[in-house]
């Protein structure tokens, strides 16, 4: 008897849609590079998590309010037959190329001092979101610093990097801080200081596809000017999606 299909393999076998086609293109172009950088692509995992990264990018809510989705929600999202904005599609493709190029050029940014050393699925989704949102605002070396700080921010809070909203919260807290403080959220650079900014001539579409997910209640603690803290309180129990 053959092995049952997992979620990624089922998603990959769905009928073609514009979203499905774009994910296939990204997998074809970047899955091998991501595998070489430490991402486990066993049993078509790259398809599922690249698709998830696009769904997370298209979430119209502020970064701090974005949460995980279930496999059922992801499958429904992939089946949407609406055409993709060409400029948005080009920006996504550039985002993946820039992510891979940055990780290859700055391999030290993948080294962590605690937690899993490999690139977890939630790492990939959130690193793609970071590059998509901040590529015009950070030089190549500072983008590498931000990618390293993003993964370390989560690993300082938990050893469990499963796809859960409570764990995604550690990443979005960092991204929210980066959005508000810019390079001030990163501290001193570990890479070349004279790296040129990344040129980008594509803007994301004005409207984004709405996705499902659990909402967070976010309270900012302003009691100290020197410490910026965000407390994320889930409104419901999150779904563990393996």
């Amino acid at each position: 008897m053959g092995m049952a299909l997992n979620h990624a393999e089922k998603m990959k076998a769905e009928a073609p849609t514009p979203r499905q086609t774009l994910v296939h293109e990204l997998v074809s172009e970047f899955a091998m590079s991501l595998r070489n950088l430490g991402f486990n692509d066993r049993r078509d995992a790259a398809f599922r998590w690249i698709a998830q990264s696009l769904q997370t990018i298209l979430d119209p809510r502020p970064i701090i309010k974005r949460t995980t989705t279930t496999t059922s929600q992801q499958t429904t999202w992939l089946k949407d037959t609406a055409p993709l904005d060409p400029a948005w599609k080009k920006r996504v493709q550039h985002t993946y190329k820039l992510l891979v190029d940055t990780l290859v050029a700055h391999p030290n940014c993948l080294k962590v001092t605690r937690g899993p050393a490999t690139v977890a699925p939630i790492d990939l989704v959130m690193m793609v979101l970071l590059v998509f949102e901040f590529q015009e605002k950070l030089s190549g070396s500072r983008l590498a610093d931000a990618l390293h700080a993003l993964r370390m921010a989560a690993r300082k809070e938990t050893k469990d990097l499963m796809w859960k909203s409570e764990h995604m919260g550690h990443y979005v807290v960092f991204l929210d801080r980066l959005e508000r403080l810019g390079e001030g959220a990163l501290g001193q650079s570990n890479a070349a200081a004279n790296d040129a900014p990344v040129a980008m001539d594509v803007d994301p579409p004005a409207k984004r596809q709405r996705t499902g997910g659990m909402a967070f209640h976010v309270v900012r603690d302003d009691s100290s000017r020197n410490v910026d803290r965000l407390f994320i309180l889930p409104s419901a129990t999150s779904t563990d999606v393996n």
Side-chain angles (χ1 to χ4, degrees):
M1 183 178 294
M3 185 179 298
L5 296 179
N6 64 19
H7 293 302
E9 291 163 336
K10 290 177 182 177
M11 291 174 186
K12 189 176 180 180
E14 292 285 348
T17 66
R19 295 175 180 185
Q20 187 93 350
T21 299
L22 176 57
V23 176
H24 278 293
E25 291 172 355
L26 293 171
V27 169
S28 177
E29 187 170 357
F30 298 108
M32 179 64 74
S33 296
L34 292 172
R35 190 179 306 124
N36 292 339
L37 290 166
F39 178 76
N40 184 353
D41 186 28
R42 186 171 62 90
R43 298 191 65 186
D44 292 319
F47 184 90
R48 176 185 176 186
W49 297 109
I50 288 176
Q52 183 62 67
S53 72
L54 303 190
Q55 188 176 9
T56 303
I57 287 172
L58 283 169
D59 189 328
R61 295 172 295 179
I63 288 177
I64 193 63
K65 294 184 179 293
R66 298 187 198 185
T67 54
T68 61
T69 57
T70 66
T71 52
S72 176
Q73 290 169 326
Q74 188 179 10
T75 299
T76 299
W77 181 85
L78 277 170
K79 289 181 178 179
D80 193 310
T81 58
L84 296 174
D85 182 282
W88 180 85
K89 179 179 176 181
K90 182 178 178 181
R91 184 182 176 94
V92 165
Q93 292 167 328
H94 178 85
T95 293
Y96 264 90
K97 184 178 186 305
L98 181 57
L99 173 63
V100 169
D101 288 349
T102 300
L103 296 179
V104 170
H106 304 277
N108 284 341
C109 77
L110 282 173
K111 296 180 180 180
V112 292
T113 56
R114 65 177 70 185
T118 56
V119 178
I122 194 170
D123 283 330
L124 176 63
V125 172
M126 301 311 292
M127 287 194 297
V128 171
L129 178 60
L130 186 157
V131 176
F132 184 89
E133 295 289 347
F134 297 98
Q135 55 190 265
E136 300 97 339
K137 303 173 184 178
L138 299 171
S139 68
S141 62
R142 293 308 262 165
L143 188 62
D145 291 335
L147 290 167
H148 177 264
L150 173 73
R151 295 176 71 223
M152 282 304 302
R155 283 159 173 76
K156 288 177 181 177
E157 300 296 334
T158 180
K159 295 180 180 179
D160 184 353
L161 297 179
M162 299 296 289
W163 180 246
K164 298 179 180 179
S165 288
E166 62 196 87
H167 301 147
M168 182 175 174
H170 302 307
Y171 294 85
V172 297
V173 165
F174 172 81
L175 292 176
D176 176 76
R177 180 177 172 83
L178 183 61
E179 186 173 49
R180 291 182 292 107
L181 302 182
E183 291 192 14
L186 301 178
Q188 186 174 0
S189 175
N190 294 321
N194 59 354
D195 213 348
V198 177
M200 190 62 200
D201 58 357
V202 179
D203 293 324
K207 294 184 179 180
R208 296 175 175 175
Q209 176 71 31
R210 185 173 299 277
T211 60
M214 181 187 68
F216 282 118
H217 300 296
V218 182
V219 180
R220 180 163 289 119
D221 179 6
D222 293 323
S223 60
S224 171
R225 293 185 179 180
N226 297 321
V227 180
D228 178 33
R229 303 180 65 191
L230 296 177
F231 299 92
I232 296 184
L233 307 174
S235 59
T237 303
S238 61
T239 301
D240 183 0
V241 182
N242 294 317

